Amino acid sequence: MNLVWFRNDLRTLDNPALWHATQSGHTLGVFYLCPRQWRGHHMAACRVEFLLRTLNCLRQQLAALNIPLLVLTENDFSTVPQSLSTICQRHQVTDIYWNDEYPVDEQRRDDAVVALLQAASIASHRYHDRALAPPGMVVKGDGSAYKVFTPFKRSWLALLDHGVPDLLPIPARQKPLKLPPDCDGLGPIPDSLPGFNSAVPAELWPAGEAEAVRRLNHFCDQGLAAYSRDRDLPAIDGTSALSPYLAVGAISPQHCLHEALKVRANGGSEVMEGADTWINELIWRDFYQHILVAFPRVSMNKPFKLATDAVPWRDDEAGFRAWCAGKTGIPIVDAGMRQLQQTGWMHNRVRMITAMFLSKNLLIDWRRGEQFFMQHLVDGDLAANNGGWQWSASTGTDAAPYFRIFNPFSQAERYDPDASYIRRYVPELEGLSVRQIHSPAQLAASKPSQYPVPIVDLKLSRQCAIDAFRAVNG
Ligand SMILES: Cc1cc2nc3c(=O)[nH]c(=O)nc-3n(C[C@H](O)[C@H](O)[C@H](O)COP(=O)(O)OP(=O)(O)OC[C@H]3O[C@@H](n4cnc5c(N)ncnc54)[C@H](O)[C@@H]3O)c2cc1C
């Protein structure tokens, strides 16, 4: 018997572990709910609920292939190896298959599983599916990892010259597998877990592989051509909104690449440009995963640029709380933070603006913001979140130079020109004109009393951040 251990790869199409297991024998699946571990990793309640809904869809799809999916609870990773070993004994499993995960805790867990199962003569088969190019494949001439995106991207794109591997099909239905009726893990999958109660409506994020594929196809048909133009405008649905599905693995990045290349091959210049820009984002996604593997310190609360650990971050609890609540008095920042809390998602441009505001204007440790995002994002992903935060805070790879600090008012004027995004999430400003919203002086003169005054002077705080960073960067 083969066992597929599902993790963030909750799909049947283009799933290397599932495919290879089913090609070599009768297959059973397992997934572990690890609530204490997830709490320790600050996993958002909306992401946990999204994952549970995705798991339900996966179980149904696997049932159609006669592959039962056991869903078991182990509070944290430490007891997973023993539990897997018990399952292997109980079901006469000889081989276990999984797709690798790259953060340090997950790697340690997997190494412990390999060691325990090896002792029991059970073979482990590990595959890559998280990134388009497996970590280690895109490296400098001397074999070391890239630290800067642009040369990484150049090397990555050169791989495309060798062609793109075909997607692995959905496995054929196997002969029915009879499990004992008292077998652990066959009970219903809960809708939520104690301690993870989300206020984000489930309807915002319909789960499952079919929904992910539908979104991909819809975006490639309707959105790709305008992506270069619209992707930075938070008021419109100009991006794919596939990130939650990629985070739980309801769709593979390879599938996204295939579809984009297919549409690109048949499209005009706008489609080609849109496809190239979108693929660029998928390469950013790969880049941050490669960084996580090559520089494990980034998943252990350390900045990529170690010198920036000496930045004198401010202890400003009131400022942090105002930022979290979307009550900073800076409209675009407040709109973004409220979008995050209400929907579990925030537009990429606004993620950068809010992250830079916290780490530069408020000079609050970026790790606090990183954690808050993880606690609220439906697409929370350690590599992308850490990469995005460190980029914004100028502590990371390819960081924006520390003196390049977004002015949130100019950003809002440029990317939300009619202020419709701000008005959607900050209804207190609904009655104000565009000019009043985008001009600090006019906003101060006309803002309604229930909207806060800015918690920080943008010009002064910008200079303080530059001084603080200059001192550690030399
Ligand atoms: C401070 C900060 C925190 C972030 N945290 C996360 C996170 O936890 N999870 C997450 O998936 N993304 C994160 N991002 C990246 C990006 O904001 C989201 O991936 C994107 O907004 C998702 O929307 P989309 O699916 O419509 O993206 P699209 O524009 O349609 O892009 C397609 C896919 O490419 C990937 N992608 C796009 N931009 C980036 C990027 N800058 N870095 C890495 N991957 C990217 C995502 O998987 C995305 O789904 C963060 C960015 C910043 C600045």
Side-chain angles (χ1 to χ4, degrees), residues 300-337:
M300 293 188 284
N301 256 329
K302 283 277 161 207
F304 179 80
K305 265 195 205 157
L306 285 167
T308 60
D309 231 0
V311 170
W313 304 110
R314 287 175 60 245
D315 185 12
D316 175 4
E317 202 48 41
F320 182 66
R321 266 189 275 115
W323 178 82
C324 295
K327 291 189 174 167
T328 64
I330 310 289
I332 189 81
V333 172
D334 294 342
M337 296 308 291

Side-chain angles (χ1 to χ4, degrees), residues 271-381:
V271 170
M272 280 171 75
E273 194 190 333
D276 289 346
T277 311
W278 198 59
I279 290 168
N280 196 51
E281 297 308 310
L282 296 175
I283 305 175
W284 270 108
R285 185 177 172 278
D286 266 24
F287 178 59
Y288 286 140
Q289 294 191 65
H290 285 226
I291 290 293
L292 203 68
V293 175
F295 305 94
R297 64 173 178 270
V298 303
S299 62
M300 293 188 284
N301 256 329
K302 283 277 161 207
F304 179 80
K305 265 195 205 157
L306 285 167
T308 60
D309 231 0
V311 170
W313 304 110
R314 287 175 60 245
D315 185 12
D316 175 4
E317 202 48 41
F320 182 66
R321 266 189 275 115
W323 178 82
C324 295
K327 291 189 174 167
T328 64
I330 310 289
I332 189 81
V333 172
D334 294 342
M337 296 308 291
R338 295 182 197 189
Q339 180 181 32
L340 175 63
Q341 305 235 25
Q342 288 169 30
T343 70
W345 190 86
M346 195 196 296
H347 188 277
N348 181 58
R349 168 62 46 186
V350 193
R351 291 188 205 208
M352 292 192 283
I353 296 170
T354 52
M356 220 179 253
F357 179 77
L358 183 84
S359 56
K360 299 285 177 55
N361 295 99
L362 295 181
L363 203 62
I364 289 177
D365 194 331
W366 57 274
R367 284 163 281 219
R368 296 199 70 186
E370 180 196 18
Q371 181 175 320
F372 186 81
F373 267 32
M374 274 312 265
Q375 286 165 336
H376 291 86
L377 280 172
V378 67
D379 65 14
D381 171 84

Side-chain angles (χ1 to χ4, degrees), residues 10-201:
L10 305 181
R11 63 180 182 279
T12 53
L13 176 64
D14 197 40
N15 184 328
L18 175 65
W19 171 256
H20 289 286
T22 52
Q23 296 319 291
S24 78
H26 235 159
T27 296
L28 171 69
V30 66
F31 182 90
Y32 284 100
L33 308 174
C34 298
R36 192 159 57 208
Q37 190 80 40
W38 292 348
R39 218 166 288 127
H41 288 173
H42 310 294
M43 202 194 273
C46 59
R47 192 188 187 293
V48 170
E49 291 184 0
F50 180 68
L51 186 151
L52 294 170
R53 295 198 299 277
T54 311
L55 211 48
N56 244 315
C57 297
L58 178 69
R59 183 180 260 178
Q60 285 170 28
Q61 284 166 286
L62 289 174
L65 307 177
N66 287 326
I67 300 173
L69 178 66
L70 310 178
V71 177
L72 297 164
T73 301
E74 290 296 329
N75 249 324
D76 54 45
F77 289 168
S78 62
T79 51
V80 167
Q82 189 51 54
S83 171
L84 277 171
S85 167
T86 308
I87 295 178
C88 290
Q89 274 173 15
R90 195 163 296 157
H91 299 285
Q92 285 90 49
V93 169
T94 55
D95 294 76
I96 176 165
Y97 294 72
W98 70 74
N99 297 309
D100 263 333
E101 294 185 299
Y102 306 126
V104 166
D105 288 345
E106 282 75 357
Q107 294 268 345
R108 287 187 182 143
R109 173 200 61 194
D110 293 356
D111 290 347
V113 168
V114 171
L116 192 69
L117 296 189
Q118 220 165 27
S121 303
I122 295 161
S124 307
H125 306 267
R126 306 169 72 153
Y127 299 89
H128 288 287
D129 80 320
R130 292 297 294 159
L132 287 159
M137 189 184 250
V138 183
V139 287
K140 292 189 205 167
D142 64 4
S144 64
Y146 284 107
K147 297 178 179 177
V148 174
F149 176 71
T150 307
F152 173 87
K153 175 185 162 185
R154 227 175 283 126
S155 287
W156 191 103
L157 283 171
L159 293 177
L160 282 188
D161 298 340
H162 305 292
V164 181
D166 289 339
L167 298 183
L168 295 167
I170 296 173
R173 181 197 292 231
Q174 66 180 10
K175 284 202 192 106
L177 189 60
K178 273 226 168 346
L179 294 180
D182 61 345
C183 176
D184 282 346
L186 289 176
I189 298 169
D191 296 334
S192 64
L193 295 179
F196 291 99
N197 295 311
S198 167
V200 173

Side-chain angles (χ1 to χ4, degrees), residues 230-468:
D230 293 349
R231 61 188 281 264
D232 268 321
L233 307 176
I236 56 177
D237 295 332
T239 65
S240 68
L242 274 167
S243 50
Y245 302 85
L246 282 161
V248 297
I251 195 160
S252 73
Q254 285 79 0
H255 193 166
C256 295
L257 179 66
H258 266 258
E259 209 52 42
L261 288 174
K262 201 161 77 191
V263 173
R264 186 188 189 281
N266 300 317
S269 60
E270 279 194 335
V271 170
M272 280 171 75
E273 194 190 333
D276 289 346
T277 311
W278 198 59
I279 290 168
N280 196 51
E281 297 308 310
L282 296 175
I283 305 175
W284 270 108
R285 185 177 172 278
D286 266 24
F287 178 59
Y288 286 140
Q289 294 191 65
H290 285 226
I291 290 293
L292 203 68
V293 175
F295 305 94
R297 64 173 178 270
V298 303
S299 62
M300 293 188 284
N301 256 329
K302 283 277 161 207
F304 179 80
K305 265 195 205 157
L306 285 167
T308 60
D309 231 0
V311 170
W313 304 110
R314 287 175 60 245
D315 185 12
D316 175 4
E317 202 48 41
F320 182 66
R321 266 189 275 115
W323 178 82
C324 295
K327 291 189 174 167
T328 64
I330 310 289
I332 189 81
V333 172
D334 294 342
M337 296 308 291
R338 295 182 197 189
Q339 180 181 32
L340 175 63
Q341 305 235 25
Q342 288 169 30
T343 70
W345 190 86
M346 195 196 296
H347 188 277
N348 181 58
R349 168 62 46 186
V350 193
R351 291 188 205 208
M352 292 192 283
I353 296 170
T354 52
M356 220 179 253
F357 179 77
L358 183 84
S359 56
K360 299 285 177 55
N361 295 99
L362 295 181
L363 203 62
I364 289 177
D365 194 331
W366 57 274
R367 284 163 281 219
R368 296 199 70 186
E370 180 196 18
Q371 181 175 320
F372 186 81
F373 267 32
M374 274 312 265
Q375 286 165 336
H376 291 86
L377 280 172
V378 67
D379 65 14
D381 171 84
L382 177 60
N385 194 40
N386 182 276
W389 269 95
Q390 297 222 45
W391 184 92
S392 307
S394 305
T395 62
T397 56
D398 210 29
Y402 65 84
F403 47 82
R404 196 189 302 148
I405 299 178
F406 289 167
N407 177 313
F409 280 96
S410 331
Q411 289 280 313
E413 198 170 12
R414 179 160 177 203
Y415 296 113
D416 188 27
D418 63 1
S420 53
Y421 173 74
I422 289 175
R423 287 203 188 93
R424 190 184 313 156
Y425 288 104
V426 190
E428 301 96 295
L429 303 182
E430 229 165 12
L432 268 54
S433 70
V434 167
R435 291 195 64 182
Q436 286 168 324
I437 292 176
H438 289 328
S439 146
Q442 293 201 32
L443 182 65
S446 55
K447 75 167 194 58
S449 59
Q450 72 271 29
Y451 189 67
V453 292
I455 60 169
V456 72
D457 179 301
L458 291 178
K459 208 170 157 198
L460 210 65
S461 58
R462 178 179 184 279
Q463 193 52 51
C464 288
I466 290 175
D467 293 345

Side-chain angles (χ1 to χ4, degrees), residues 53 200-206 215:
R53 295 198 299 277
V200 173
E203 309 80 74
L204 282 185
W205 300 106
R215 280 179 182 235

